[in-house]
Amino acid sequence: MRRLRRLAHLVLFCPFSKGLQGRLPGLRVKYVFLVWLGVFAGSWVAYTHYSSYAELCRGHVCQVVICDQFRKGIISGSVCQDLCHLHRVEWRTCLSSVPGQQVYGGLWQGKEVTIKCGIEDDLSSKAGPDGAPRRQLALFDKPSRGTSIKEFREMTLSFLKANLGDLPSLPALAGRVLLVADFNEDGRVSLAEARSVWALLQRNEFLLLLSLQDKEHASRLLGYCGDLYVTEGVPLGSGPGTALPPLLRPLLPPALLGTLQQWLGPAWPWRAKIAIGLLEFVEDLFHGAYGTFYMCETTLANVGYTAKYDFRMADLQQVAPEAAVRRFLRGRRCERSTDCTYGRDCRAPCDTLMRQCKGDLVQPNLAKVCELLRDYLLPGAPAALRPELGRQLRTCTTLSGLASQVEARHSLVLSHLKSLLWKEISDTRYT
C-alpha cells in the first residue's frame, strides 16, 4: 500500500506532469476542431444530397402542370379524373435519374404502379396570373384542330413510318394507338384525347411500350393523362447500390457500391434467371414485328426484375428504333468515331476519308449485353460453370454490328448462352 502511495506521489509531482497539463488545452482545441469539421462535412453532404434530390424529384410540379392542362380541356386520359379530381393516384418513391424525366413508384386502383412524366428543362414552378405554372404548350399543339378518326389515323401512320420505317405491320400499330386514344370507348377520339396521345408518341419509351406490348419483358401500359403515363409494377433495380438505403448511396464510392450490390443483391441463380430474361429481351428487339431496336444505354441501372425475379426493362427511353438511329447517322460529318454516337453507346465507325459516319453500329445489342453480364454473372458463379460461361461471354462481346454477321452468328451465340444458363438452374426452385 505504501508503495502505491509513493508511486502516485511520483506521478503527480514528476517534472513531465506540468508539460502534460500544459498540452491538455491544445488537445481539447484539436478535438473540438475535428468534431466541428466532421459535423460541417456531414452537413454539407446532407445539403448537397437534399439539393440533388429536390432537383431530381419534382413529381408535385408535374402533377400541378398536368392537372392545369386537364382542367383547361387541353388534354385528357384514363388517369386524369383520379389524378386531378379524386386524388386517387398516390405518389410514393422517387426513382428519377434525370430532372427532365420524372419517375415515381406509386399506387393506383389498388395496384403498385410506375408513374412517368416529362418536365421541360425550362419549367418553372412560378405561377402565372391565373395561379397555374407556366409551360410551353408546344407539346400539346397537335392536332391543331378537330380531325376525323380517319385523318388522325393517317397522321399517326405517317409518324410511325418516319420513326420505325415503312413496315407492313404499321397499320395494326396505328390501330393500337387509336384504341389507347379512345380510352372511354365511345367510338370517337376527341381533340384532347388526340393531343394527349400525340404528345405521348413523341416520348420514345411510350412508342416502345406500344410496340412491345405483347412481350413479357416490357411493362404493361395501364393509363395516361396528357403525356403522363402509368405502367404496371415497380421493377426492382440491379444497378450499383439499389439494394442499399437511398441516403447511404451518395456517401459510398462506386467500387464499394458494386461490391455491396453483389453481397446484398439476388443470389446467383436468381441473377442467372434475370440474365436469361435480358437475353430474351434482346431477341424481342431484333427483327420484331415493328422492326429492329437498338439499346443505346446499356447499364445495370436499366436491368429491372419483378418480385419473382422475372426480367423487366426498367427504362425504355434509351431504346431507339433502327430507322431513327440510321437517320441520325446518315450523312453526319465526323472526325472520329465518337462523333457518330447516338445516345450513350450506339456508336458507328467514322469514315475518315469521306469524313462521314457509316451505317452499321460497332457493337450490336447482344455484344453490349454480354459485356454487361460478365460483371453481373461471373462473380459468384458455380466453379464448374465459370470457365465455360466466361468463354461464351468473351465470344459474345466480340460480335460486330456488320449486317453480314447479324443473322446466323448472333442467333447461335445467344442460343448457346441461354442454354448454358438454363441447364444450370433448371429443375431447381429458381425456375
Side-chain angles (χ1 to χ4, degrees), residues 9 15 34 37 50 126 211 261 294 311 317 381-382 399 411 420:
H9 181 79
L34 288 173
L37 189 63
Y50 174 78
K126 293 180 181 179
S211 302
Q261 183 66 20
Y294 294 131
F311 169 77
Q317 193 64 30
L399 294 172
S411 299
L420 182 69

Side-chain angles (χ1 to χ4, degrees), residues 49-357:
H49 177 64
Y50 174 78
S51 301
S52 174
Y53 181 88
E55 179 69 18
L56 283 175
C57 303
R58 297 185 290 170
H60 61 290
V61 177
C62 193
Q63 182 172 357
V64 169
V65 170
I66 287 292
C67 290
D68 175 60
Q69 304 297 310
F70 172 60
R71 293 187 185 100
K72 290 177 179 177
I74 297 172
I75 62 174
S76 186
S78 54
V79 184
C80 292
Q81 284 289 343
D82 285 347
L83 178 71
C84 303
H85 289 166
L86 303 177
H87 305 291
R88 290 177 180 170
V89 178
E90 186 178 336
W91 303 64
R92 288 185 170 178
T93 310
C94 175
L95 306 172
S96 308
S97 57
V98 291
Q101 179 70 13
Q102 294 297 295
V103 183
Y104 276 77
L107 202 66
W108 182 49
Q109 295 182 342
K111 300 175 184 175
E112 283 195 343
V113 296
T114 300
I115 307 164
K116 298 192 176 185
C117 174
I119 292 185
E120 312 303 326
D121 291 336
D122 60 347
L123 178 63
S124 171
S125 58
K126 293 180 181 179
D130 57 354
R134 298 185 182 278
R135 188 190 197 188
Q136 293 179 351
L137 297 181
L139 189 63
F140 302 117
D141 65 349
K142 290 183 180 180
S144 57
R145 56 179 178 78
T147 58
S148 67
I149 288 185
K150 183 179 178 181
E151 288 175 324
F152 186 61
R153 182 187 179 89
E154 290 300 319
M155 180 179 171
T156 302
L157 196 55
S158 297
F159 174 84
L160 295 175
K161 284 180 180 179
N163 284 273
L164 300 178
D166 193 359
L167 303 170
S169 56
L170 291 189
L173 185 58
R176 185 177 292 181
V177 172
L178 289 179
L179 287 176
V180 171
D182 184 21
F183 73 93
N184 54 9
E185 300 179 355
D186 61 357
R188 62 188 185 89
V189 177
S190 68
L191 183 58
E193 289 171 343
R195 282 176 169 170
S196 297
V197 169
W198 186 259
L200 284 168
L201 284 173
Q202 312 312 307
R203 303 211 172 274
N204 195 54
E205 184 174 40
F206 183 81
L207 181 58
L208 266 291
L209 283 173
L210 288 182
S211 302
L212 301 173
Q213 197 67 52
D214 299 329
K215 308 297 183 182
E216 62 176 309
H217 302 303
S219 297
R220 192 165 60 91
L221 178 70
L222 297 180
Y224 66 94
C225 181
D227 66 332
L228 176 149
Y229 55 99
V230 176
T231 59
E232 65 175 350
V234 182
L236 302 169
S238 299
T242 51
L244 301 173
L247 290 174
L248 188 60
R249 292 173 205 163
L251 307 178
L252 300 176
L256 182 57
L257 277 177
T259 303
L260 289 174
Q261 183 66 20
Q262 294 291 340
W263 292 345
L264 301 176
W268 188 88
W270 290 130
R271 276 185 276 148
K273 184 181 179 184
I274 295 165
I276 291 169
L278 176 56
L279 292 171
E280 289 173 348
F281 179 72
V282 171
E283 283 184 299
D284 293 340
L285 296 182
F286 183 66
H287 285 344
Y290 304 113
T292 297
F293 296 90
Y294 294 131
M295 298 170 68
C296 293
E297 187 173 348
T298 318
T299 65
L300 278 178
N302 291 332
V303 178
Y305 54 91
T306 67
K308 294 182 178 179
Y309 299 96
D310 294 318
F311 169 77
R312 290 289 183 277
M313 191 66 180
D315 184 10
L316 288 168
Q317 193 64 30
Q318 297 301 324
V319 177
E322 181 183 30
V325 176
R326 290 194 177 278
R327 186 169 60 247
F328 171 84
L329 295 173
R330 189 182 303 122
R332 189 174 183 84
R333 302 286 294 172
C334 64
E335 298 290 336
R336 58 190 69 85
S337 61
T338 52
D339 298 329
C340 304
T341 305
Y342 182 96
R344 178 176 172 174
D345 54 23
C346 280
R347 184 173 298 173
C350 174
D351 187 332
T352 52
L353 291 177
M354 300 293 294
R355 295 197 174 182
Q356 283 191 346
C357 298

Side-chain angles (χ1 to χ4, degrees), residues 352-423:
T352 52
L353 291 177
M354 300 293 294
R355 295 197 174 182
Q356 283 191 346
C357 298
K358 295 181 179 179
D360 291 323
L361 296 183
V362 175
Q363 271 191 313
N365 290 334
L366 184 57
K368 291 189 287 188
V369 163
C370 287
E371 204 169 279
L372 195 70
L373 291 180
R374 283 200 299 188
D375 294 332
Y376 190 64
L377 285 180
L378 288 179
L385 177 72
R386 195 177 297 123
E388 178 61 18
L389 179 59
R391 187 188 67 78
Q392 289 203 23
L393 287 173
R394 280 193 301 274
T395 301
C396 180
T397 56
T398 61
L399 294 172
S400 78
L402 296 174
S404 58
Q405 276 198 10
V406 167
E407 295 288 346
R409 193 175 177 210
H410 285 212
S411 299
L412 190 64
V413 169
L414 193 148
S415 177
H416 284 174
L417 193 52
K418 278 175 56 181
S419 299
L420 182 69
L421 293 172
W422 267 124
K423 184 178 178 181

